[in-house]
Amino acid sequence: MPVSVNHRIHHWNSEDVEAWEGGGKEIAKRNLIWSIIAEHVGFSIWSIWSVMVLFMPVSVYGIDAAGKFFLVAVPTLVGAILRIPYTFATAKFGGRNWTIFSALVLLIPTALTMYFMLNPASYTTYIVIAAFAGLGGGNFASSMTNINAFYPQREKGWALGLNAGGGNIGVPVIQLIGLLVIATIGNTAPEIVCAVYLVFIAVAAVGASLFMDNLDNQKTNGRSMIDVLRFSDSWWIAFLYIGTFGSFIGFSFAFGQVLQINFLAGLTEGAPATAAQQAQASLHAAQIAFIGPLLGSISRPFGGKLADKIGGGKITLYTFVAMVFSTGILVSAGTWDDNTAGAATGTMMALFVVGFILLFLLSGIGNGSVYKMIPAIFAAKSVELPGMSPEEQQHWSRRMSGALIGIAGAIGALGGVGINLVLRASYSGEAKSATTAFWVFLAFYVVCCAVTYVIYLRSPRMIADSQAQSSVAV
C-alpha cells in the first residue's frame, strides 16, 4: 500500500492493481482534486484580461477593439512559452512543491492588474502587466504532467480530462464573477474581481500544501523533450491540439469582445457610443461570454471518456468535422452583419452565439480526445522497445507522455494567440468585422480534419493493446 511520508511517496506505481486498490486510488484522487483547484485559479488569472477589457471604455483607457485583441493575446503567448519549463518543474521540485509556488506567484499579476485598473496608464504598461498574467498559463503543463504520473493508463483519459476540464472552468468562472460585478455595480469596479482572486490564490496554495504529495520517481527532463520530438506523432498531436485547445483558449479570450463590439454596434447604429451604451454593451456581453468556456470546460472530461471507449482518432475527427460546420454558422452570421452595414440584428446575434457555443463545446471534447492519444501512443511504443522490463516500459511511457503534454500544451496555446491576432487583423480591415477571420478558422479546421483522417484513421499507425487501451487508431 502506498504511504505518504512528509508529503513524499516513494516507488509509486499506478499500474500495480493491488497497490492501486489498496490506497493508491485515494492518494491519486486527493492530489487530483487540489491539482484541479490550483490549475483552475491559474486559468482564471491567465484569462483575467478577457474580463478586464470589458471594464475599459475607450473614453477612459484609450484602447480600441484592435488594441484589446492584441492585449489579450499577450498573456496567451507568455503562457504558451512558460508551458515548456513548467513541464519539467514537477519532476525537478515535486508536484506538491511546485503547485504551491505556481499558485503563490499568481499574486504578482493579480496585484498589478488591480493597481493599474484603478490608475489608468499607457498601453505599453498594460501589455507588460498582461504578460505577467501569462504565469497562469504555465500551470496547465505542470499540473497535467503531475496527474499523468499519478494515474494508470486505463484511467488517464478520464483523469487528465477532469484535471484539464476543471482547470479550464477557471475561464468562465472569472468571467462570471466579472458579470456579477458589472450587473451589480457597473463597469467601473474591476478591482473587486482582482480582490476575489487574491483570496482564491491563497486557498489554492494552502490546500496544495496540506493535501498534495511529491513523487520520488516522477522523471521528466530536458532530454525527454528532445527524445519525444523525434517521433512524428509528437508534431501531429501538437498540430491537432492547436485546433482544439487553441480554439478553446483563443475564443475564450475573444468571445466577450466580439459580443461587446456587436452589441455596441446594435445600440449605436454607427453613432458615437455614450458611456451608458458602453456599460450596457459590456453587461450584455458578460451575460453570455462565460457560457461558452463553461461548456467547453465541462465537455473536456467527456471527450477523454469517449476516447477511452471509442478511440482518440475517431473522436478527434468527428469533432473537427463538426467544428467546420459550426464555423460555417459564424461565416453566415458575419456575412449577414457585413451586408446590413454592421446593424446587429437579433437573428445575426443568435447565429453568432450559437456558432461560438458549438465551437466551445466541440473544442472541449477535442481537447479530451487529443490528450488521451498522448499516453496511448507511448504506451504502445514502449511495448516495442527491446530489453526493457514492464516497469521500465511504464517509466519510459510516462516520461515521454509528460514531455509531450508540455510541448503539445505550449504549441496548442499558440493557437489562441493566432485566433486573437487574426481577429485583430480582421477588425482592423476596411470592413471592420470578423468575417475574414471566420473564413480563416474554417479553412484551418478543414486541414485538421484531413490530418486526423490521413494520419490516424486511414492508415492506423499502431495496433491496439487491449489491456492498456493504447491504440490511437481505434
Side-chain angles (χ1 to χ4, degrees):
M1 175 179 175
V3 177
S4 175
V5 179
N6 295 324
H7 297 286
R8 180 169 292 277
I9 301 175
H10 301 283
H11 310 299
W12 177 264
N13 182 6
S14 60
E15 302 296 343
D16 184 337
V17 177
E18 183 178 351
W20 179 257
E21 296 298 335
K25 181 191 301 184
E26 295 306 314
I27 291 174
K29 181 179 179 181
R30 170 164 46 80
N31 279 270
L32 174 61
I33 289 171
W34 284 97
S35 175
I36 290 173
I37 293 172
E39 187 189 342
H40 174 98
V41 175
F43 261 94
S44 292
I45 301 306
W46 192 24
S47 58
I48 194 170
W49 284 95
S50 71
V51 177
M52 291 299 107
V53 293
L54 300 180
F55 290 89
M56 301 176 75
V58 177
S59 58
V60 177
Y61 293 88
I63 305 175
D64 61 10
K68 290 177 181 179
F69 279 117
F70 185 76
L71 183 62
V72 298
V74 170
T76 316
L77 175 61
V78 174
I81 295 171
L82 286 179
R83 287 184 170 192
I84 298 296
Y86 269 56
T87 300
F88 305 132
T90 56
K92 178 70 174 177
F93 302 104
R96 168 183 175 269
N97 297 344
W98 186 256
T99 304
I100 296 169
F101 169 79
S102 62
L104 289 176
V105 77
L106 298 178
L107 293 170
I108 297 173
T110 308
L112 287 174
T113 300
M114 185 174 185
Y115 177 81
F116 283 101
M117 287 301 294
L118 290 172
N119 301 277
S122 67
Y123 184 60
T124 302
T125 300
Y126 288 113
I127 291 293
V128 173
I129 298 169
F132 276 102
L135 288 167
N139 287 15
F140 175 83
S142 56
S143 179
M144 292 292 279
T145 303
N146 190 42
I147 295 306
N148 180 64
F150 269 100
Y151 275 82
Q153 176 66 28
R154 62 187 178 276
E155 297 188 26
K156 285 186 190 294
W158 179 243
L160 292 175
L162 279 177
N163 190 59
N168 292 170
I169 289 178
V171 179
V173 168
I174 194 171
Q175 292 176 346
L176 183 57
I177 291 174
L179 165 63
L180 294 176
V181 173
I182 293 174
T184 55
I185 300 176
N187 65 337
T188 58
E191 69 276 7
I192 296 178
V193 179
C194 300
V196 169
Y197 273 90
L198 291 175
V199 176
F200 288 174
I201 290 169
V203 170
V206 172
S209 176
L210 294 176
F211 301 108
M212 291 189 72
D213 301 293
N214 300 313
L215 299 181
D216 67 348
N217 62 343
Q218 186 179 359
K219 305 294 183 183
T220 300
N221 50 45
R223 183 65 188 180
S224 301
M225 283 283 190
I226 297 173
D227 290 343
V228 80
L229 290 177
R230 294 175 179 174
F231 295 97
S232 60
D233 288 287
S234 299
W235 296 100
W236 293 122
I237 290 295
F239 177 80
L240 295 179
Y241 204 55
I242 291 175
T244 58
F245 182 75
S247 297
F248 171 81
I249 200 64
F251 292 142
S252 293
F253 286 16
F255 190 31
Q257 291 185 74
V258 173
L259 289 172
Q260 186 183 40
I261 290 169
N262 284 281
F263 278 128
L264 197 58
L267 291 171
T268 62
E269 297 183 352
T274 65
Q277 288 172 327
Q278 290 177 351
Q280 186 178 357
S282 295
L283 176 59
H284 290 332
Q287 287 173 330
I288 299 173
F290 76 93
I291 297 174
L294 177 62
L295 292 177
S297 303
I298 293 173
S299 67
R300 180 163 187 157
F302 294 98
K305 194 76 169 179
L306 287 170
D308 283 339
K309 294 182 177 181
I310 301 173
K314 288 183 179 179
I315 297 301
T316 301
L317 176 62
Y318 301 156
T319 297
F320 279 129
V321 170
M323 290 176 78
V324 169
F325 286 100
S326 300
T327 312
I329 296 175
L330 293 181
V331 169
S332 299
T335 303
W336 188 321
D337 185 27
D338 294 343
N339 292 338
T340 54
T345 65
T347 302
M348 184 273 291
M349 284 303 300
L351 289 174
F352 264 124
V353 172
V354 169
F356 270 112
I357 293 299
L358 286 174
L359 282 172
F360 276 114
L361 187 65
L362 293 164
S363 65
I365 293 172
N367 286 337
S369 64
V370 171
Y371 253 46
K372 164 59 183 177
M373 295 167 72
I374 294 175
I377 287 170
F378 292 105
K381 289 184 181 297
S382 68
V383 178
E384 302 171 356
L385 297 175
M388 279 192 179
S389 67
E391 184 175 346
E392 289 173 330
Q393 291 172 351
Q394 292 166 12
H395 169 72
W396 181 86
S397 176
R398 285 198 303 266
R399 187 164 58 89
M400 291 294 102
S401 297
L404 184 51
I405 281 172
I407 292 173
I411 296 176
L414 291 176
V417 180
I419 281 177
N420 280 279
L421 292 182
V422 171
L423 282 168
R424 179 181 186 274
S426 188
Y427 275 108
S428 298
E430 293 183 6
K432 301 293 182 182
S433 78
T435 308
T436 301
F438 296 152
W439 277 111
V440 172
F441 302 153
L442 188 150
F444 180 73
Y445 296 141
V446 169
V447 174
C448 289
C449 288
V451 168
T452 306
Y453 174 73
V454 171
I455 302 300
Y456 292 109
L457 291 175
R458 187 183 67 176
S459 301
R461 298 168 73 84
M462 60 190 69
I463 300 174
D465 180 302
S466 59
Q467 183 177 0
Q469 298 181 19
S470 57
S471 171
V472 177
V474 294

